Amino acid sequence: MLPDLVEGGTPAIRSTDFHYADCGSSHISLRPSPGVDALYAPRRYLLDRLLIEAAAASGADVLHQTPVVGLLRGAEGRVLGVRALGGDRREVPLRAALTIGADGVGSLVAREVGARLVSRSRAASAILYRYVAD
């Protein structure tokens, strides 16, 4: 997907500056790794579109505007897919051999499977990205 990200206008990041409140700042050059010459921070609209296209090209069924409202479970409790709302707003079972919960903060999937919290803390820093011409 990297060529598509670059073709979509994602700028290469080859260095960055870290600014510290009490220590000044530090300029860091990023070393390329095999096959990746820089870091890339694509816009979400581009990344989301490319991920969806790649999933579909790999054989995944992609359904838009289909909110998940719960998990499907077998008699022994194993997750067998999801329950979603179809176009007519009726609940529809969608079976899957593998269900991945990539539904963000406040995850319905994590709640439904009882995923335990491993770590919680207050943010001690922030990361800001900005696109600058040239």
Side-chain angles (χ1 to χ4, degrees):
M1 290 178 39
L2 182 57
D4 295 328
L5 289 173
V6 173
E7 186 178 309
T10 305
I13 301 168
R14 293 188 172 82
S15 67
T16 190
D17 293 307
F18 289 95
H19 301 279
Y20 304 98
D22 52 348
C23 302
S25 63
S26 178
H27 182 79
I28 306 292
S29 293
L30 303 170
R31 284 181 272 158
S33 61
V36 181
D37 66 333
L39 294 180
Y40 294 88
R43 299 287 188 165
R44 280 301 303 263
Y45 67 84
L46 175 63
L47 180 61
D48 290 351
R49 181 177 58 80
L50 292 176
L51 287 171
I52 289 167
E53 289 172 359
S58 296
D61 293 324
V62 177
L63 303 174
H64 297 280
Q65 305 291 319
T66 310
V68 172
V69 295
L71 299 179
L72 286 177
R73 292 183 180 270
E76 74 291 345
R78 179 175 162 78
V79 174
L80 303 175
V82 298
R83 298 184 339 265
L85 295 181
D88 59 0
R89 307 308 288 170
R90 289 186 186 188
E91 202 171 286
V92 177
L94 301 172
R95 296 177 84 67
L98 176 65
T99 301
I100 299 172
D103 51 340
V105 176
S107 168
L108 177 136
V109 174
R111 236 181 4 262
E112 292 245 339
V113 299
R116 79 180 170 89
L117 185 61
V118 174
S119 174
R120 181 185 304 203
S121 63
R122 292 180 177 219
S125 64
I127 298 173
L128 303 173
Y129 294 95
R130 175 173 51 175
Y131 289 90
V132 179
D134 301 330

